[in-house]
């Protein structure tokens, strides 16, 4: 079931995978060490919870990736729907049934376009589905709240249909595994870098009203460290392609570092506006799905087009797999 | 599971499917007939109260409501029976679209929440003030809980009488027998002038009980 031959062919997959597994296995040692330093049991328990959740997330994310292209695209489509559901519940959009259904169907359609490897459809769906969302609730003759529901619906479409869809679309390249692993790992590390640097150096708060725990030092530190990590880790992934030059890899790292944090701040802004702390309780120790996926959403389309522009991948799998003649 | 549950897209779709299947089943197996449909308001809020002798009661009532009301209706189901175990909870919530009422551990805040939902959402509530199914088919006295919901509000309360459900599926039988079921809907009552205190609740329950018994006049099961 796991496409071992496919994994072996894609450079960089093995060692990226290996480093993720190693990090997950090494983390308990780090937790034990901080425990020995006399932290309170509540903090230790929270750390353990977060660790176990990371293990579960790692398993759930890596499995479809290893199984194959179809599993990856479907899993990401499902993730998009689940994240949208959380968003709709948090913002109240779920009460507007026809608008919400339009967004959900749009996400399904975009997943289908990725599965079919039909880029034209994938691109066309964004404005077309936005039009459907705008028009769908009009026949009910309830103009009160129109701008809010169409605005929320369109935002949801962009984030969970288009942005998440770009991530799935990467799977239409034969070398998709290391690229996706690289993106997922660097976005996750970006958060960790920001936290670690911020805690160590302290200093001025970045945006106290939006996200009270973020510091300027953490932000800049994350940018630098993520760029460094991506530059090194992307080398085996993009060898022989247009993304091989160091400058381009540094650029990719900066894009991930900056936009990853932007995605985090985007979610913080949404939560502050709504007056909530977490978007859900699905992941123990972390909050909801959105709390974990937010950075990825802003990064995905930018990285996709950056890599494509510099010929980092070819999207060389056959097109129109399902609908073509 | 609490009274603040609001169904999402999946829950709504399942509920609509269950309503459609319920309608087909009641029409086919029980040749459901309804009298007094003209008393139903065209939009919520409203409360339906009926006699209770069978699990078919809620299905029958949901089947006689027009679609626009049916999709916004919530039967109130006994928490200790329908929401105690996870599997049953999920069925009760998604298919029946029920909200829990805790009979042995009453939560006064729940009734305040339900009153608010009635007018703000707005929605239709279906409840059976007898509290439990009548084991012998004879109507039991109405409990005061219905008063906690409607006393002092201007939400129309429609008394209904369900005839034939006890014969088709009495308590204790596993599978229903195909036999005719009839629903009679009575004139809506308003309890705006009733006090929202114990005396008012008891008066409300009493008024509704006599209204339902009056509807039953002429039926074979329940003596009025």
């Amino acid at each position: 079931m796991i496409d071992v031959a496919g994994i072996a062919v894609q450079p960089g997959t093995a060692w990226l995978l290996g480093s993720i597994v190693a990090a997950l296995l090494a983390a308990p040692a780090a937790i034990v060490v901080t425990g020995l330093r006399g932290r309170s049991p509540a903090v230790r328990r929270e750390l353990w919870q977060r660790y176990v959740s990371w293990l579960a997330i790692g398993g759930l994310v890596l499995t479809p990736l290893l199984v194959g292209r179809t599993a990856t695209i479907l899993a990401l489509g499902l993730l998009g729907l689940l994240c949208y559901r959380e968003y709709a519940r948090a913002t109240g959009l779920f009460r507007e049934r026809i608008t919400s259904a339009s967004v959900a169907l749009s996400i399904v359609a975009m997943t289908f376009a990725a599965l079919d490897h039909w880029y034209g459809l994938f691109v066309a769906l964004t404005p077309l589905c936005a039009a459907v969302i705008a028009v769908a609730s009009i026949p009910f003759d309830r103009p009160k709240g129109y701008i809010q529901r169409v605005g929320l619906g369109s935002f949801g479409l962009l984030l969970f249909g288009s942005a998440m869809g770009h991530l799935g679309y990467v799977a239409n390249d034969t070398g998709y595994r290391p690229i996706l692993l690289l993106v997922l790992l660097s976005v996750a590390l970006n958060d960790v870098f920001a936290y670690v640097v911020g805690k160590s150096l302290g200093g001025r708060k970045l945006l106290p009203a939006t996200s009270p725990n973020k510091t300027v030092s953490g932000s800049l530190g994350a940018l630098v460290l993520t760029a460094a990590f991506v530059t090194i880790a992307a080398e085996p992934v993009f060898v022989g392609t247009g993304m091989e030059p160091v400058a381009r890899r540094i650029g990719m790292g900066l894009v991930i570092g900056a936009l990853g944090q932007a995605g985090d701040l985007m979610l913080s802004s949404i939560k502050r506006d709504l007056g909530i702390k977490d978007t859900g309780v699905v992941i123990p120790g972390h909050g909801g799905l959105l709390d974990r996926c937010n950075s990825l959403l802003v990064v995905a389309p930018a990285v996709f087009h950056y890599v494509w522009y510099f010929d980092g991948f070819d999207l060389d799998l056959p097109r129109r797999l399902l609908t073509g003649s | 599971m609490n009274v603040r549950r609001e169904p999402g897209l999946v829950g709504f779709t399942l509920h609509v499917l269950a309503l459609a299947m319920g309608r087909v089943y009641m029409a086919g197996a029980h040749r459901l007939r309804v009298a007094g449909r003209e008393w139903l308001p065209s939009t919520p809020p409203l409360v339906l109260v009926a006699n209770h002798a069978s699990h078919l009661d809620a299905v029958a009532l949901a089947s006689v409501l027009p679609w626009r009301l049916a999709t916004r209706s919530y039967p109130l189901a006994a928490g200790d029976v329908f929401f105690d175990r996870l599997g049953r909870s999920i069925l009760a919530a998604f298919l029946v679209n029920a909200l829990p009422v805790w009979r042995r551990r009453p939560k006064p805040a729940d009734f305040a929440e339900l009153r608010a939902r009635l007018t703000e959402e707005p929605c239709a509530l279906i409840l059976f003030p007898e509290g439990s199914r009548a084991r012998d088919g004879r109507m039991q006295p109405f409990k005061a809980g219905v008063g906690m919901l409607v006393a002092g509000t201007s939400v129309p309360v429609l008394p209904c009488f369900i005839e034939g459900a006890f014969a088709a599926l009495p308590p204790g039988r596993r599978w229903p027998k195909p036999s005719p079921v009839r629903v009679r809907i009575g004139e809506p009552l308003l309890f705006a002038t009733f006090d929202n205190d114990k005396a008012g609740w008891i008066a409300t329950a009493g008024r509704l009980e006599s209204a339902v018994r009056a509807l039953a006049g002429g039926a074979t099961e329940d003596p009025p």
Side-chain angles (χ1 to χ4, degrees), chain A residues 162-240:
Chain A
S162 183
M164 188 66 90
H166 275 85
L167 208 58
Y169 214 91
V170 174
N172 285 315
D173 183 75
T174 38
Y176 72 95
R177 280 198 188 94
I179 300 175
L180 282 180
L181 281 174
L182 176 64
V183 170
L184 292 169
L185 186 56
S186 40
V187 167
L189 284 176
N190 191 37
D191 275 345
V192 173
F193 291 150
Y195 179 79
V196 166
V197 174
K199 272 281 185 283
S200 321
L201 297 183
R204 218 178 71 178
K205 299 282 178 211
L206 182 64
L207 293 169
T210 307
S211 191
N213 292 324
K214 289 197 172 35
T215 57
V216 176
S217 62
S219 190
L220 292 173
L223 200 59
V224 167
L225 288 173
T226 302
F229 172 77
V230 171
T231 308
I232 300 171
E235 209 254 307
V237 174
F238 291 117
V239 70

Side-chain angles (χ1 to χ4, degrees), chain A residues 84-85 89 94-95 97 100-101 104, chain B residues 5-10 12 71-72:
Chain A
Y84 169 67
R85 187 175 165 272
R89 283 261 160 192
F94 76 103
R95 296 190 185 102
R97 281 198 262 265
S100 196
Chain B
R5 179 184 66 78
E6 290 180 75
L9 275 177
V10 173
F12 178 72
T71 52
R72 286 184 214 287

Side-chain angles (χ1 to χ4, degrees), chain A residues 79 111 127 259 300:
Chain A
L79 184 61
T111 306
L259 291 181

